[in-house]
Amino acid sequence: MPTALKETELTDILYISYYWPPSGGPGVQRGLKFCKYLPQFGVRPTVLTVDEKQASYPLLDESFAEEVPAELPVYRTATSEPFEYYKKLSGKKEIPYSGFANQQAKDTLVDKIFKFVRGNLFIPDARVGWNKHAIRKAEELLQSGKYKAIVTTSPPHSTQLIGLKLKQKYNLPWVADLRDPWTNIHYYDQLLHTPLAKRLDQKYERQVLEQADAVIVTSEDTKRLFLNKPASIDARKLHVITNGYDGADFTYPSNPPKDEFLITYTGTITEQYNIDVFLKVLAHLLSVHSEINYKLRFVGKVSEGMKKRIEKAGVLGITEFIPYVPHQEAIKYMMESTVLFLAIADVENVYANVPGKLFEYLASNKHIIALGPVHSDMDHIIDECGAGRLFHYTAYDLMLDHMTQLSRAWKINPNLDLPYINHSRFSREALTGELARIIKKLLK
């Protein structure tokens, strides 16, 4: 761990993020952990975010608020967003999740209208109404002259337009951190864009890629996606900083059950996640290994369509659904599992998708059974760390053989924890050091 630095050795930056505690979900953790560890590397952030009373957060997790350093300045502003109208018109109490995971398998007319309005009147996204408030406050803060650089993180990608505006006005070094692809995100076509709206969105994306001094993405494949765009972007300013895990979060000891083979999935899962081969394998194991008490547990948001597929596969009777829980509780569920299951959506550009929870799965030292494209970034990381195995969406025989071997091993010893996983480079502390180096290089 770096030694503590004096006040005069710290470089002040303005860190702009829509998602901040008490927001829940994986997106908020990246910025929270960066801001927690940046001062160790000589960079002192000030956070600009939205007023939590006005924000459109799909998930809340009050436990994250306890992790915000007491000395970290956090400024909140008002916002102007359409989600209250959506809830009144649709009769729904929830804000749509990323990828519309909490929507019905078949859209209602109101859902279709809202998606069309969101995709064509709110570009790049429906949280763009925060920008005018955030820019006003950012300009007030920047007048002090103390801030030497700006970092914007997204989604929502409208936040990057705040950075673009501030870059054009103040010409400070600007780092654009894109946690997800922009116009290549897997649910992009669900937004029903007109050709004009698509062109405008692509223009915004291109301007950010061209004018940011550094662009950070979370996977090598996302980097390739952006480099293949027509934007005149210098490849040298694109950097990969993956998501990660915070060792300080893992306070629970491993405690796999002795009387059941417990497979846990944490996070959101929808019909776009093709897990049919896994469910088929599990159904077969149930029929041939009656002596093993298999259990499948989902912790987080599971779409109704996915629940119907689980029922159709014949494994609903051994499946437990636990709604979204605070982050620490989710980690506890991981640590109390036999193995962990992971899948990514079976959609175009899926190679660029490396779920944030993969890195916490690694930190748990549990065996990972994953579904996704072979030779993808996720496949390489699991293989590099010796943390389990990834299977293609159609690899029934390979997955059956693998899970049969695990089942036999479990009968000998129900603790299938891995003896060692080389995952230290994915710690939040190490990753924050990479961000600090990028910022300091720009300042030179």
Side-chain angles (χ1 to χ4, degrees):
M1 180 181 295
T3 57
L5 298 169
K6 298 177 182 178
E7 290 283 312
T8 54
E9 297 176 307
L10 294 171
T11 299
D12 285 288
I13 67 162
L14 185 59
Y15 192 96
I16 304 175
S17 176
Y18 182 94
Y19 291 110
W20 190 258
S23 172
V28 70
Q29 294 181 55
R30 185 171 173 89
L32 176 60
K33 304 298 185 179
F34 277 155
C35 291
K36 174 182 176 180
Y37 289 115
L38 273 172
Q40 294 183 11
F41 300 94
V43 178
R44 179 168 50 196
T46 291
V47 174
L48 175 58
T49 188
V50 65
D51 182 347
E52 70 269 29
K53 296 183 179 64
Q54 300 183 43
S56 301
Y57 294 151
L59 296 168
L60 291 174
D61 190 336
E62 298 290 346
S63 67
F64 284 140
E66 299 170 8
E67 293 191 48
V68 179
E71 67 278 9
L72 176 65
V74 178
Y75 293 91
R76 299 182 180 271
T77 78
T79 186
S80 308
E81 298 171 30
F83 290 108
E84 285 304 315
Y85 298 103
Y86 166 76
K87 289 193 284 187
K88 289 176 182 177
L89 287 170
S90 66
K92 298 176 181 178
K93 296 180 180 180
E94 291 182 314
I95 300 294
Y97 282 36
S98 172
F100 307 101
N102 57 342
Q103 307 299 291
Q104 298 296 324
K106 189 173 182 179
D107 284 342
T108 65
L109 178 61
V110 171
D111 289 331
K112 290 178 180 177
I113 292 173
F114 181 77
K115 285 182 179 180
F116 180 84
V117 170
R118 179 254 182 259
N120 294 280
L121 298 185
F122 299 93
I123 302 172
D125 52 67
R127 291 173 176 83
V128 70
W130 179 52
N131 286 23
K132 61 183 179 183
H133 304 275
I135 290 170
R136 189 181 307 124
K137 185 62 180 180
E139 290 178 340
E140 177 187 320
L141 293 170
L142 292 174
Q143 285 175 6
S144 68
K146 67 182 285 189
Y147 300 104
K148 307 305 180 187
I150 298 167
V151 177
T152 50
T153 184
S154 65
H157 292 312
S158 52
T159 304
Q160 302 299 348
L161 302 186
I162 299 171
L164 179 65
K165 180 79 172 179
L166 297 175
K167 174 65 181 178
Q168 292 169 344
K169 184 169 182 177
Y170 295 95
N171 198 32
L172 286 171
W174 168 36
V175 179
D177 176 38
L178 289 94
R179 305 188 304 272
D180 287 334
W182 191 322
T183 57
N184 297 104
I185 193 71
H186 64 84
Y187 54 83
Y188 194 72
D189 288 343
Q190 294 184 48
L191 296 171
L192 309 177
H193 291 99
T194 63
L196 179 63
K198 275 190 175 180
R199 285 197 297 272
L200 181 57
D201 206 11
Q202 290 166 353
K203 174 189 172 184
Y204 287 150
E205 179 185 44
R206 184 174 65 252
Q207 287 179 315
V208 169
L209 294 176
E210 290 177 346
Q211 296 187 40
D213 297 286
V215 176
I216 298 173
V217 294
T218 58
S219 73
E220 291 291 343
D221 274 305
T222 305
K223 179 179 177 179
R224 284 188 282 273
L225 272 178
F226 286 138
L227 286 176
N228 286 332
K229 290 181 177 294
S232 302
I233 180 169
D234 184 347
R236 292 173 297 180
K237 72 177 184 180
L238 253 81
H239 308 271
V240 177
I241 299 181
T242 66
N243 286 307
Y245 69 90
D246 190 345
D249 292 340
F250 285 79
T251 57
Y252 300 105
S254 177
N255 187 27
K258 294 181 174 60
D259 58 346
E260 61 185 9
F261 191 107
L262 176 54
I263 306 167
T264 297
Y265 178 101
T266 65
T268 298
I269 190 164
T270 72
E271 298 91 290
Q272 288 184 311
Y273 292 67
N274 181 5
I275 65 168
D276 290 349
V277 69
F278 167 75
L279 297 175
K280 185 179 177 182
V281 166
L282 187 55
H284 178 80
L285 291 174
L286 283 173
S287 67
V288 299
H289 288 291
S290 57
E291 76 281 9
I292 298 179
N293 184 21
Y294 292 101
K295 182 176 180 180
L296 177 59
R297 179 170 64 191
F298 291 91
V299 181
K301 182 64 184 180
V302 181
S303 71
E304 291 303 315
M306 178 56 71
K307 288 180 180 178
K308 289 177 182 176
R309 284 164 69 171
I310 293 168
E311 182 179 15
K312 185 178 179 181
V315 297
L316 185 62
I318 63 158
T319 303
E320 179 184 17
F321 300 102
I322 298 173
Y324 181 84
V325 297
H327 181 234
Q328 282 298 316
E329 196 172 337
I331 290 177
K332 188 171 185 287
Y333 279 118
M334 290 182 205
M335 302 306 292
E336 294 175 348
S337 303
T338 308
V339 298
L340 300 176
F341 176 53
L342 180 61
I344 53 178
D346 186 9
V347 292
E348 191 177 1
N349 296 320
V350 73
Y351 277 81
N353 190 347
V354 181
K357 62 176 163 277
L358 167 62
F359 303 99
E360 296 195 326
Y361 277 23
L362 294 176
S364 74
N365 276 25
K366 300 287 179 178
H367 189 96
I368 299 170
I369 301 168
L371 271 175
V374 178
H375 304 308
S376 62
D377 285 353
M378 187 167 83
D379 187 13
H380 292 318
I381 291 170
I382 292 172
D383 184 58
E384 171 197 330
C385 295
R389 189 166 173 187
L390 178 141
F391 300 90
H392 189 265
Y393 304 104
T394 59
Y396 173 81
D397 291 334
L398 289 173
M399 179 175 274
L400 176 60
D401 180 65
H402 184 73
M403 291 187 66
T404 298
Q405 291 181 39
L406 288 176
S407 299
R408 290 170 179 164
W410 180 86
K411 287 197 288 184
I412 298 170
N413 180 0
N415 187 341
L416 299 182
D417 287 4
L418 299 169
Y420 173 72
I421 300 179
N422 180 22
H423 50 55
S424 59
R425 76 181 182 93
F426 299 114
S427 74
R428 295 288 188 182
E429 198 169 351
L431 297 168
T432 303
E434 294 180 30
L435 174 60
R437 283 190 287 275
I438 291 169
I439 293 170
K440 290 181 175 180
K441 187 175 180 181
L442 292 179
L443 294 176
K444 289 181 180 179

